[in-house]
Amino acid sequence: MSRKPFVREVSKTRWYFKHPRYLRYMSREVTCVFIGAFALLLLCAVERLSQGQAAYESFLAALKGPWSALGLLIVLIFAVHNTTSWFNVTPKAMPVQMGEEFLPGKFIVAAHYAVWILASLVVLFFAGVL
Amino acid sequence: MAKSNKPIFWSLFAAGGTLAAFLAPALVLLFLLAALGHAPGLLSYAQLHAFAAHWLGKLFLLAVITLFLWHAAHRLRVTLHDFGLRQDPIVAVVVYLVAAAGTALSVLYLLRI
């Protein structure tokens, strides 16, 4: 029996309040809740779509309203947070070597942002928003 | 060689995260506009039904729904541990079962369209 047992002073449930860096980490991790919730909303839309026009249009009518707009705005914020945090680590996740040197990370990040903007414009154009 | 199923779940997580990074904000915006009463043309019954009736549209919807689900499931498993829930064997089974059920349901619904 050790005379000075190791005592862990870190709370298992509130440790991420100790440092802003931990909070940033957790904010990135909880984006999954909102991505998952949106996937379930899409699944619900596809289910109603498979049940016919009346079912789908009642789904669209139920979606309309200030509370679902607020909820979707929060989902949008976390979806953008997932995008920026995902792209900002791409130089570490897939470094590009050119000869002896590595391509500076900012080019890899910028390329992802450019493709993101292009993909978003394609989606919005295809959906008839633009 | 050690056997592990981690690479399968991790690759689904990474694929879903990348797809979500590129597409989720724009897709969420379409539904936000619908909630505000300005549903984009694609979300009307006629257009979305025509989109989902084509096999390419089905493939797109299947990829988005299932990869988002598997991404969220895997990250939620890790995040619940970080929030202090130290029951990984149970958490893993629950989150992956939900993702698997969502995958099966999305296939079922899309085949009915």
Side-chain angles (χ1 to χ4, degrees):
Chain A
M1 195 57 190
S2 158
R3 277 189 285 175
K4 278 181 69 183
F6 173 68
V7 179
R8 178 176 279 269
E9 288 178 5
V10 182
S11 160
K12 270 187 196 168
T13 51
R14 288 183 302 277
W15 58 271
Y16 41 88
F17 290 115
K18 293 268 182 193
H19 195 286
R21 193 185 296 135
Y22 302 160
L23 262 182
R24 281 203 298 279
Y25 164 81
M26 281 306 240
S27 74
R28 163 162 73 82
E29 294 298 294
V30 297
T31 58
C32 72
V33 175
F34 300 91
I35 297 292
F38 181 64
L40 293 179
L41 179 73
L42 281 177
L43 185 62
C44 189
V46 169
E47 181 197 14
R48 295 306 206 84
L49 190 67
S50 73
Q51 292 166 347
Q53 183 160 8
Y56 179 73
E57 278 170 359
S58 78
F59 163 81
L60 270 190
L63 191 69
K64 210 185 283 184
W67 291 111
S68 54
L70 182 66
L72 282 161
L73 182 66
I74 295 169
V75 173
L76 180 62
I77 291 167
F78 277 94
V80 170
H81 186 42
N82 174 59
T83 299
T84 53
S85 61
W86 196 269
F87 289 162
N88 290 346
V89 298
T90 47
K92 289 201 165 54
M94 40 179 186
V96 177
Q97 193 170 11
M98 303 180 82
E100 292 285 300
E101 302 294 313
F102 280 95
L103 185 69
K106 61 184 177 188
F107 293 117
I108 301 173
V109 175
H112 279 89
Y113 275 83
V115 175
W116 174 37
I117 291 168
L118 191 68
S120 301
L121 288 176
V122 168
V123 169
L124 294 178
F125 180 77
F126 189 76
V129 177
L130 296 179
Chain B
M1 199 169 85
K3 276 191 179 174
S4 166
N5 54 18
K6 194 183 171 194
I8 300 167
F9 294 121
W10 199 88
S11 58
L12 285 170
F13 159 76
T18 306
L19 193 66
F22 282 116
L23 293 180
L27 294 177
V28 174
L29 187 61
L30 299 184
F31 281 82
L32 176 59
L33 288 171
L36 292 171
H38 301 281
L42 180 66
L43 289 190
S44 69
Y45 176 77
Q47 279 195 42
L48 193 61
H49 190 272
F51 180 77
H54 195 276
W55 65 271
L56 262 175
K58 278 187 177 53
L59 201 64
F60 176 82
L61 289 170
L62 183 70
V64 167
I65 294 172
T66 57
L67 287 178
F68 281 20
L69 275 179
W70 284 101
H71 164 80
H74 184 73
R75 195 171 236 183
L76 189 63
R77 175 187 176 186
V78 178
T79 306
L80 287 176
H81 178 90
D82 291 341
F83 274 116
L85 187 63
R86 302 292 154 91
Q87 298 288 342
D88 186 60
I90 300 168
V91 168
V93 169
V94 171
V95 294
Y96 292 147
L97 266 182
V98 170
T103 303
L105 284 175
S106 58
V107 170
L108 185 72
Y109 297 147
L110 284 169
L111 287 180
R112 281 184 186 163
I113 295 172

